[in-house]
Amino acid sequence: MQDVSVSEGDIALVHALEVNPRATWSLLGEVLGVTPMTVARRWAKLFDQGAAWIAVLPGPVAWHSFAMIGINCASPRIDEVAATIAQDPLAITVEVTAGRYDLLVAVLAPDMATLSWYITDRLNRIQYITSTTSAIATEVFSEGSQWRIGAISRNQEHDLAPSSTGIRPTTPDVSDVDRELINALSYDGRMSFGDLASRIDRNASTVMRRLDRLLKHGLVTLRCEIASSLSGWPLHASLQFRVSPQHLGEVGRELAKWPEVRMCVALAAERNLMVSIWIRNASELTLFEMKVLREFPHVIVVDRTLDLRVMKRTGHMLDEAGRSIGVVPIDLWSQVQPRQAP
């Protein structure tokens, strides 16, 4: 893939789409101070080059069967194992790491039975895996859709924010038509309603209504992603902490607000808090760790890892620069677990 560079205007557009991934070109142009045509042209360039994209992933109500899985492999086969796991629709992120594990995989399942099957059956069938360590999430304090690249003002964010009545408490079923819509959006989260309608053979008003319903009920989330090599935060790292139960919520909620933090999650494990961060260089990992210990002296740092490569992020396959080169749609509702005989 050719070399890609981004301008300050491109980064501002990415930030705007982090706030409102399907904002109209008119609104984006008005807030960013350029014409709608300029905004559309900039996005087309970023998207076509794999530099930025709108990912589709399960929404807040679906994050109740989530696990982080550390995997060790026969050393010559690490990339082969990672590529195999990356093709699984339940594996939302696959990272090749330097640290305790060769791979760190985020898995999201529709229920605990499917998550159990994935951990105890699916992974055991993959050749060259030598060991796995799983930790199931008990609370997600933040995930990447809340992260901001830091290129526009609070006032601009306010002007871009979509009108919202909050997540509705009831959770409707996801139909086959909904799955077709989610799958189509996975390839281009800004695809027009007309193009989506043609893709799934439905009319545009039906598509608009169904997407609105999926978003309002928290079944799906749209997230603007950028290649980390172009973001100003090119390195990824993870830290695992041991926090007393009485302080876990407080620490998790506070760390979730820090600008480096992409994900903060409580785990049912001895290392009961995990944080994923984006940093500018390796030395910032130590600085982040020191800041945590200064702010929360009772917290114990148990482990830290740096990513060598992110092979898959939120359903998109990435090259070594973190650019999107393909899509494996995240599909919680597919029949990935073999049915048991009656």
Side-chain angles (χ1 to χ4, degrees), residues 241-253:
F241 305 100
R242 186 181 303 128
V243 187
S244 62
Q246 64 265 36
H247 294 124
L248 182 58
E250 173 196 354
V251 175
R253 286 187 292 272

Side-chain angles (χ1 to χ4, degrees), residues 9 15 31 55-56 61 83 86 117 134 136 152 178-179 199 223 260-261 269 284 297 313 320:
H15 188 154
V31 172
V56 182
V61 302
W117 164 81
S134 304
I136 295 173
I152 64 175
D178 293 329
R179 286 184 58 219
R199 183 74 67 93
R223 180 196 296 184
E260 309 94 326
V261 173
E284 288 192 353
R313 186 164 88 235
E320 292 186 357

Side-chain angles (χ1 to χ4, degrees), residues 68-69 93-101 103-106 235-241 260-265 267 271 273-279 282 284-286 288-289 292 301-308 310:
M68 298 300 303
I69 305 176
T93 298
V94 179
E95 303 167 350
V96 181
T97 67
R100 181 183 297 265
Y101 306 112
L103 305 176
L104 189 61
V105 180
L235 295 184
H236 303 173
S238 298
L239 296 98
Q240 294 186 350
F241 305 100
E260 309 94 326
V261 173
R262 289 275 299 186
M263 183 181 72
C264 182
V265 56
L267 301 171
R271 307 166 187 179
L273 185 68
M274 180 175 179
V275 173
S276 296
I277 61 174
W278 281 18
I279 51 180
E284 288 192 353
L285 176 58
T286 301
F288 180 87
E289 186 174 330
V292 172
V301 181
V302 182
D303 197 14
R304 77 282 291 159
T305 62
L306 274 170
D307 287 355
L308 300 174
V310 180

Side-chain angles (χ1 to χ4, degrees), residues 19-20 23 27 30-31 153-162:
V19 176
N20 188 346
L27 176 59
E30 178 183 349
V31 172
S153 69
R154 291 286 181 87
N155 287 338
Q156 287 173 303
E157 286 188 344
H158 179 269
D159 292 341
L160 284 161

